Amino acid sequence: MKIVVCIKQVPDTVEVKIDPKTGTLIRDGVPSIINPDDKTGIEAALELKERVGGTVTVISMGPPQADVALREALAMGCDEAYLVSAREFGGSDTYATSGILAAAIKTLGYDVIITGRQAIDGDTAQVGPQIGEKLAIPQVSYVEEIKEAAEDHLIVRRQFEDGYHIIKIKTPCLLTAIAELADARYMTVSGIVDAYEKEIKVIGFEELKDNLELDMIGLKGSPTNVYQSFTKEVKGTGTVLKDASADEAVAAIIAKLEEKHII
Amino acid sequence: MSKGIFVVVEQRSGKVQNVGLELIGEATRLKEDLKDDVVAVLLGDKIEDQVAKLFHYGADKVILVDSPYLKEYVTEPYTKALTQVCNEYDPEIMLFGASSIGRDVAPRLASRIKTGLVADCTGLRMAKTEEEIAKEEAMGCEDGKRALLMTRPAFGGNIMATLMCPRTKPQMATVRPGVMKRADKDASRTGEVIKFAVEFTDADMNIEIIEAVKEGKKHADITEAKVLVSGGRGIGGPAGFDILKECAEQLGGEIASSRACVDAGWIENSRQVGQTGKTVRPELYLACGISGAIQHVAGMEGSELVISINKNDTAAIFGVSDLGIVGDVKVIVPKLTEALKKYNAEKNAN
């Protein structure tokens, strides 16, 4: 089975702070990590390979520095790694990104594609399903368990807010992973050594251009554009009711909850 | 020309979900500027009985796709039906709930019909100012006054971004449940129902559902809860959490805690908020008997709305609260719970 895992290198958003004077993100010194859902996807892919045999290929689109994330994936046990990187791809939204990744994955071949459900920097959860659409293969998102694995099909558990589905899906197919699917393993020492001996192959614009919608990639071609970004207003002291009766206090709380659409 | 504010209304087990009504409410607000009809799109199996409700909450038209293929949510049949709706009606705007269903079908649809999609929005508005309209048109929008500006959190909620989709239609967004307000019910409202036929084949069922299980809402981790009712030393003891729990249930939320209560053994440490606990950003943080030490505030200052109740009128928590009540938690919270019960009962009766 040929398993392809898509990963993204992201800033650790827990460490991101806002500059109180300028109101902008402070990115200096913020560590880059493999997006957590994608790391779950790597683990699920490795476990799938252990069950049915095959290879795990890891792929990432991003700047050259993203090769650190790919090395980490190799050190966890992935067989080969590809970096999709070109100036033409910069600034792509989810539509454009999924088109580029789908074109790259097509050149590699696949039976099962695993992506994380969503990345912690963008939180869109769109790239996985959109790769599936571009490749015209079925998908199951929010996968929390792979119950059965065979060459020609998988049986998976798909999470909903109010329950789950047990789904049989034929390969080739795409799954999006949520945290419950697997606990990512650590890199091994021998894995780290091996990872630095392996080559990370770069896929650029030239290799993919015949398979792309050329007017729908990069910053200019992306159907969505950022109009502006801003930080939320800093919270100040609101109203403090000092001598209200309990009933008055409750009425004030209810009014506030209504005003803010909580109830 | 693209026309209409379309809302894809989510149903589960044949019942329209709240987020669908919230989006219809939001669509009626967008309509004040755009002047287009609000069109609800309802997909499912034997769901015609749900249509009247969509008119009551503000839909002008309802497109109904009723088929056994749509009984359980499956990506492909839903995507196929919505693709045909888009091809037939050419919507200006199309909105989805940002649920595990909306976030599965909307990206697939956007990719198929070659348009943009903005995820998990918390604010929508039509471009209105000269600057907004000019910027949309500079980006290739034919009529900037018909452009939708979509605002959403990014970087884990550290920053907000407003996005546009200037060149392709429909302008699509998924919208976070619970953010938009549904309109007041008007049971006299009615409108045109369009029964839209989609020919499904077994090939559209490209996965097989072996089992579909409904479990009811699961208890969320406190970092995912929309509402947290949080207790500090001022709640007096472990029994204080029973009072908070009843209140949290009425608000559809979870209970959380300051470090003091965890250290005292009143509650499990997975519910601790603060520097040594979890960082939370709920829509409502109701702080009960919490003094507001800086280590606690560090874990909850990103909350959308903070309401605090504390006996001590100099408590630091009041400094980060939208509304502060100086008073006794043990008196006020049970009264609040009763008031919410009454409020919810009246709302459900509508």
Side-chain angles (χ1 to χ4, degrees), chain B residues 137-343:
Chain B
E137 292 182 352
M139 292 300 294
C141 183
E142 275 182 16
D143 182 354
K145 291 188 290 300
R146 296 181 64 79
L148 182 67
L149 292 168
M150 300 164 266
T151 299
R152 64 184 304 268
F155 283 98
N158 285 300
I159 199 165
M160 303 296 288
T162 300
L163 290 103
M164 51 186 175
C165 179
R167 296 176 300 278
T168 54
K169 298 288 165 67
Q171 305 174 72
M172 279 176 51
T174 64
V175 179
R176 193 176 284 194
V179 174
M180 303 302 178
K181 199 169 187 297
R182 61 182 185 188
D184 292 329
K185 184 177 177 176
D186 175 358
S188 69
R189 278 188 99 258
T190 180
E192 183 190 356
V193 182
I194 302 165
K195 290 186 181 170
F196 189 81
V198 176
E199 267 188 46
F200 293 103
T201 68
D202 287 343
D204 297 323
M205 271 303 183
N206 58 8
I207 60 151
E208 179 192 340
I209 296 178
I210 296 172
E211 199 185 351
V213 179
K214 304 277 177 230
E215 291 179 312
K217 300 277 180 201
K218 284 179 233 164
H219 281 289
D221 155 12
I222 61 164
T223 62
E224 301 209 337
K226 280 191 211 155
V227 171
L228 288 174
V229 180
S230 192
R233 210 191 300 270
I235 65 169
F241 280 108
D242 296 336
I243 297 172
L244 302 194
K245 200 169 175 188
E246 281 183 37
C247 183
E249 276 166 13
Q250 292 303 316
L251 289 162
E254 292 287 324
I255 51 171
S257 164
S258 73
R259 179 169 178 176
C261 304
V262 173
D263 287 349
W266 297 352
I267 194 164
E268 64 271 19
N269 65 5
S270 64
R271 293 188 184 266
Q272 185 188 328
V273 171
Q275 204 138 41
T276 52
K278 290 178 175 156
T279 300
V280 296
R281 290 188 180 84
E283 288 165 22
L284 167 65
Y285 192 85
L286 181 57
C288 304
I290 292 177
S291 63
I294 193 158
Q295 291 83 354
H296 185 77
V297 170
M300 49 65 74
E301 62 190 343
S303 306
E304 302 271 338
L305 175 66
V306 178
I307 299 179
S308 54
I309 307 168
N310 202 296
K311 268 190 212 169
N312 177 358
D313 66 0
T314 61
I317 192 75
F318 291 132
V320 292
S321 300
D322 299 273
L323 175 63
I325 308 286
V326 180
D328 187 347
V329 167
K330 290 192 281 295
V331 176
I332 294 170
V333 176
K335 278 190 182 269
L336 176 62
T337 305
E338 284 313 309
L340 288 166
K341 269 187 194 159
K342 207 172 139 210
Y343 185 95

